[in-house]
Amino acid sequence: MHDTLSLGLVPGEDIPGFWRRLAAVSSDWLASRGAAARDAVLLLPFAQQIAPARRAFAAQGGWAPLITTSHSLASSLGPSRLAAPGQISGDAAIDAFTADGLLAGQSWAQALRTRDEKAYVAARARLVETAHALSRAAGQRAPSQWAAFFESAAERLASQAGGPGDLERALGLVALAWAQSDDRAPATDALFAQRPSAWLVLEVGGPDALAQALTAGAVPSLCLQADVDLDSVPATGAELQLARCTDFESLAEQAATAVLQHLNAGRTPVALLAQDRVAVRRVRTLLMRQGVPIHDETGWTLATTPAAAALMALLRAQLAQGGVDDWLAWMKSPLGAGFDAEALRDLEALCRRKGWRETGPLDALGLPLWREARDAAEPLAGGPRKLGGWLADLGRVLRRLGSLAEVEGGEPLLSALWISRNPWAGSAHEQVIGATRLRPDEFLAWVDATLESAQFSPAEDAQPAVVITPLARVLLRPFGAAVLPGADAATLAPAAPRNGVLSDADAQALGLPHLAAQRAAQAWAFAQLLRLPAVTLLRCSHAGAEPLPPSPLIERLEAAWGGPVPAWVDEREAAPLASQPAHRRAAVPRRLPVQLSASSIEALRNCPYQFFSRSVLGLREPDELDVELDKRDYGTWLHDVLRHFHESRSGDDVADLRAAADAEAASLDAADFLPFRAAFERVLPRYISWLTETEAAGQRFEAGEVERRCQPFEGSLAGVTLQGRIDRIDITPAGRLLLDYKTGRAKDLKDKLKTPLEDTQLAVYALLMEADPALQAAYLAMDEPDALVTVPHPEVNATAQVLREGLQADLSAVLAGQALPALGEGRVCDYCEARGLCRKDDLT
């Protein structure tokens, strides 16, 4: 006898009231069927619902049924057999190696591996995911239905033969055979042998396949349906409000404020729904600053913990031929706590000063700290070895460096990687660890995958005021309120089920989780929020520049209620701030650098404070050790190529220019040089064409990369030297021509020279040439798409003299102690390293 009873929404009923109603109708039904309550079983969707259910039956008095979940009951009936070698263990990182063995005899798989190993690894991961999905689905059926389920799955996969999905079909067939060959009885099989007086099943958040299979037998059963249709849900006494936020930070701030408002109103505990994990992480940080006790039921990915970050830095440095940055990263991590801190700072400063990105110079130098680090990681050096050997060597390295156990996430990391424990004898884990041979990069990938799939739950407060939990697990729990940040169409949307290569149609036909079921379950779960006393929804109105609509669930609720969800009111009070005027900072130097360059003079003209910080104080930001080469690096390289070309020119210009490029590329990493070569191949024909044209007009190369010095000032500035490197000097029929190569566009250079007095670089070069009345100067734009463009300076000698006179006055004032105010504007300030010193942003 199988009955169904609907437990809809009752206006004004709280969560304890719902459980009391459930206890009453359950007892009445058991009595009407003559079933002993003490021998009945009430199955709940989640373990967190057990406590309020037991309290309700206890308050009612008399015998209560066994209140549990299906998986908890199955676990209490006996342990499951361990996965033997070749069987599905449920550990994706371990099962990937078992899948390798399954694919070893498949010619199509080995052909894919030979052709594209990354594609093979991705295909193997989908194979494992499919096998896990099929194994889980089989475990939710009665043992007598297994054969029919696998037969149906085989028919679905066989019907897809031919076409672009052949790879997916082949993977699906291997996964099906793998799952079908597992002769272990899952723990849930024991449930079908139970004969309680009755099965009571609470259905909330959608049907449970295992519970449905259990109640299909001869035992009397009652399905207690608590789900309600969101499209026809009645208005309840819940205080439902919606906040519309402008951006991510305001979303996080208002979500934290909503939580605090609920706590201040006495609504505890508050459920913070982890629909948007990034936003919830920010909300958690804001609440922790307020000292709010928090419990996180969702946990973290183990890969995000400090212990995992330190370990991965070590492995990347040693196993992936990491550069200096990788080595410094792990030496400065908790694993490097034993290194001398002062020596480590000196080592990093040396690498930055020298610009060393690779470890070769440090190996040759042989500093004690560097040798110590190399020796510590030495057990991980070398070639392929078995996974067990890798783990043993990693354990030795960690014991030498110091235990990770005291670092957050350290203990579960050591356990997940089988360093602090041993696999069970005869298990799939023992077989894989003992037999699988891995290259260094494969071991690194395995560690990464293992940490990504493992969960870490940090220590929490005993009596939390806030519980972070998924939407599905808030159902029918006695929360005082709920806060859901991310109630928009992009975030509050069903996630696609992970069924491997099975399509959504296949999943639906086979009874696996599918998108329509996920969508319905989310709508049911959303409707259950209305049982709580108060719910605050928050959503961003825009995703960047794009409008972001609300979730369809909100629109469905508003349609059912015939009006919009009430707006949330931010109860924060504006705190008046006392006026604290900030005055423009001014440096007061009383000395000057002995030498000035065009760049330092440009800094003086841009912003005197910038000149003070760079040229007087000599402040510099530390350079990154491992950065991508940019356009400035390309310009420097191109300068050297053209100088080399003109100094060694033999007659075949195209061949000579390519030879010069190859010679200058010798000092570059091959990967770094690729974009340079691609850009150079576009410049080469244009440069040869420009050179032929100018030489036909009588212009000849005289010198390149010319170092010049002069002392153009008088009086107290007579000892100040002006220095610079002129890219190129040519001889023309009209006299000497200074050329400055530019990898920018000609239009920008022409706009700049529309006001000749604003140009600094060519004017400084003209001063360095010491009053050559016939001197000409120009920029040579190299990046024009059709041809190189010469952009002449119309009045370079006159500009140079005006610049000299202006510098004479300005530098004399500086030397006399006149203040240098921070006068920079616009782009000058955007990338200025002195911006924090001048505190321009603090000005009112």
Side-chain angles (χ1 to χ4, degrees), residues 342-382:
E342 184 175 352
L344 182 55
R345 284 193 297 271
D346 292 342
L347 176 64
E348 182 174 7
L350 172 66
C351 294
R352 294 189 185 281
R353 188 168 62 251
K354 298 289 189 180
W356 290 341
R357 294 193 297 165
E358 303 302 326
T359 59
L362 287 174
D363 291 332
L365 195 60
L367 296 174
L369 177 62
W370 182 251
R371 288 200 305 270
E372 183 182 355
R374 281 291 201 186
D375 291 344
E378 179 61 27
L380 294 172

Side-chain angles (χ1 to χ4, degrees), residues 162-236:
D166 277 352
L167 174 61
E168 286 73 13
R169 183 181 67 88
L171 291 170
L173 290 173
V174 174
L176 177 62
W178 189 10
Q180 195 170 4
S181 66
D182 196 334
D183 62 351
R184 293 174 299 157
T188 52
D189 269 13
L191 297 175
F192 294 92
Q194 298 301 299
R195 292 293 180 268
S197 63
W199 290 110
L200 304 172
V201 177
L202 175 62
E203 186 177 293
V204 59
D208 182 296
L210 178 59
Q212 287 182 328
L214 286 173
T215 56
V219 177
S221 62
L222 172 65
C223 178
L224 298 160
Q225 289 186 339
D227 284 323
V228 291
D229 184 4
L230 186 61
D231 295 317
S232 58
V233 64
T236 66

